[in-house]
Amino acid sequence: MPKNSGIDFSDAKQDRAKKTLDDLLQAAYEIVEEADPAEFTSRSLAGKAGYSLGTLSKRLGSVENVFFWAIQKGRELKFNGLAKEITQLDPKLTVEEFVAVFVDKSFSGINAVTPSVMRFYDQRFTKKNGLSPDYFNYVDVLVEPYQQMCLKNESATFRIISQDEAKFIFRAILTLVERPFADGDPIMGTPEHRRIAIESITRMLEK
């Protein structure tokens, strides 16, 4: 389960209705992947999973929490995939070339999810749960792969940084890359956004 949410269905999955819960969670994930927050409803979930509204109420309690879980799960998979890709990059890449690849992959992943899903999560989750201290910790999965990549890199353009510095830098990178999409900023995804992100991140990471 995503670690930073406080949403965990593992206890419920110990009962005899494990398959029902698994079906509902999978259905929620599929609905979220279709990226239309208007469909994040009990009726849509029941229809997708093939269960009654009464079953949803009995097994899930808060249907909204299930969609939060699904959004977090999709984000977790995306960042785990990005972490794996970092470890497989050409060790001859310069820091600026690495950042350009990173930004382009991040933009592509965000466009696949769509900003509307990000805004749904930001608005609804924080209204219900507040802005927790670990709200942006999901990016921390990139820290260790990045440090390993730096040690293997042959371009002599990367600073070797500590785990703490890498953690803070990657959280700052979220502000540069992801938050304009989540905030609906007109610059999001434009060539100018890309330029700003690449130049700013390169300055943080280069020797």
Side-chain angles (χ1 to χ4, degrees):
M1 301 291 172
K3 296 178 181 179
N4 69 315
S5 64
I7 298 170
D8 189 350
F9 296 97
S10 57
D11 290 342
K13 294 180 77 171
Q14 302 306 312
D15 66 19
R16 290 178 298 176
K18 180 178 183 300
K19 182 180 184 303
T20 301
L21 181 59
D22 285 343
D23 289 345
L24 292 169
L25 293 176
Q26 179 60 31
Y29 179 76
E30 290 175 7
I31 291 171
V32 166
E33 287 295 287
E34 293 167 2
D36 180 4
E39 295 298 315
F40 297 175
T41 65
S42 299
R43 192 169 300 279
S44 294
L45 182 58
K48 173 72 77 172
Y51 289 98
S52 69
L53 291 172
T55 298
L56 265 65
S57 177
K58 179 179 180 181
R59 292 299 167 200
L60 300 177
S62 170
V63 169
E64 191 171 58
N65 277 353
V66 181
F67 288 109
F68 292 156
W69 175 90
I71 293 168
Q72 293 161 3
K73 185 65 176 177
R75 185 175 63 194
E76 179 184 61
L77 291 172
K78 181 187 76 174
F79 275 86
N80 284 341
L82 189 55
K84 183 177 180 180
E85 290 187 66
I86 288 174
T87 66
Q88 297 172 343
L89 291 174
D90 185 343
K92 292 182 172 58
L93 288 179
T94 66
V95 65
E96 186 172 7
E97 290 169 339
F98 160 75
V99 172
V101 170
F102 178 86
V103 169
D104 288 342
K105 288 183 179 295
S106 297
F107 276 21
S108 177
I110 292 170
N111 286 332
V113 173
T114 79
S116 62
V117 174
M118 299 169 69
R119 288 194 284 272
F120 170 90
Y121 182 83
D122 276 357
Q123 294 165 4
R124 303 293 284 272
F125 184 86
T126 55
K127 182 178 180 180
K128 190 171 186 177
N129 300 283
L131 188 63
S132 61
D134 58 356
Y135 190 78
F136 298 111
N137 285 13
Y138 55 87
V139 75
D140 293 355
V141 71
L142 303 181
V143 169
E144 185 176 344
Y146 175 76
Q147 289 184 298
Q148 293 174 357
M149 185 209 66
C150 286
L151 292 174
K152 296 176 182 177
N153 186 266
E154 301 170 10
S155 73
T157 59
F158 287 81
R159 287 192 303 117
I160 302 301
I161 57 181
S162 70
Q163 185 174 16
D164 284 335
E165 185 176 0
K167 178 180 68 176
F168 292 136
I169 286 175
F170 273 101
R171 293 183 188 177
I173 287 172
L174 278 183
T175 302
L176 287 163
V177 175
E178 184 179 271
R179 297 315 300 174
F181 289 91
D183 296 339
D185 194 300
I187 201 174
M188 63 181 182
T190 63
E192 180 65 2
H193 181 196
R194 181 179 184 273
R195 183 194 66 78
I196 292 170
I198 291 173
E199 291 183 2
S200 300
I201 297 167
T202 298
R203 286 195 292 269
M204 286 192 283
L205 298 178
E206 68 183 346
K207 279 187 174 181

